[in-house]
Amino acid sequence: MAGEQEIAKLVVRLVTEVKDLKKGLSEASKEIKRVADEGTKGNKEFEQSISGIKASYLKLAAAAYATYQTIVKGLRWAELGAQAQAVEQSFNSLTRSMGIDGRTLINQMKQVSGVWVDETKVMIQAQRLLAEELSPEQIINITKASVVAAKMMGISVSDAFDQVSSAILTLQTRGIRQAFPMDVQQITEDYARSLGTVSKYLNEAGQRQALYNEVVRQAEEKQRLLGDAMVPGNYEKVQRLHSAFDQAKVSIHAPTRGATVKRNIPHSSFLVSIHAPTR
């Protein structure tokens, strides 16, 4: 009997201990799940915080880049304005010393070109031609020839004027052969003969005159042949708008003594009203 009682007590104790073990295991499982849930939540919060940091950084970087680009553009436009002022001062000094109305010359060049309003480039090329003793009337005729060359070569009037002017100044016609093919030696000899002399006695000014005469002659002939093709098309309209925008940038940012630059800028008055500096 005593043995049975001892066995019964042992069974009761084992059952109690098993219950306690199950309870402990259940509580341990709950604790593990709680820790796991908190870890998952923490990871999500961490990921969200990282995403937020990334987004904030990207916004900051984008704002910094936009600011940098604005500064660079402003400096570039300011440099254009400074260059334009320097070129204009130099051009005005030269034309005054030669007794030429520089403003009238530039306006006439822009008028006959039809698409050209970049005064800085006009002044640079006109100054080079004047320095080599070409007259204002000849420069106007070179501008007219450049309009024909632009049509013949499929380039802008601005580029054509650069090439035609350079050809006359350097006596090298390779760059304009597509528009005005010529034998420089032959036209020089013909021009010298018209003066009652020979080509070897012509100085550079005389050779330039011979080349100029041939360019103008061919331009007038080809203008008649082109006919309706000389009417400004979409490409010329784009040139006009593009050059007007460039001129607006120059005028807006040209250095002034406390005053806003006011110039007649066709097709771009809206740019001036938007971007004109305020005090």
Side-chain angles (χ1 to χ4, degrees), residues 38-66:
E38 290 180 355
T40 301
K41 181 180 179 182
N43 288 337
K44 288 182 179 179
E45 291 177 351
F46 179 73
E47 290 175 358
Q48 291 174 355
S49 63
I50 291 296
S51 298
I53 292 173
K54 286 181 178 179
S56 298
Y57 173 78
L58 290 175
K59 290 178 181 178
L60 179 62
Y65 181 75

Side-chain angles (χ1 to χ4, degrees), residues 149-165:
K151 283 289 186 180
M152 299 291 293
M153 301 169 70
I155 59 178
S156 69
V157 176
S158 175
D159 290 339
F161 184 79
D162 284 341
Q163 294 186 30
V164 174
S165 299

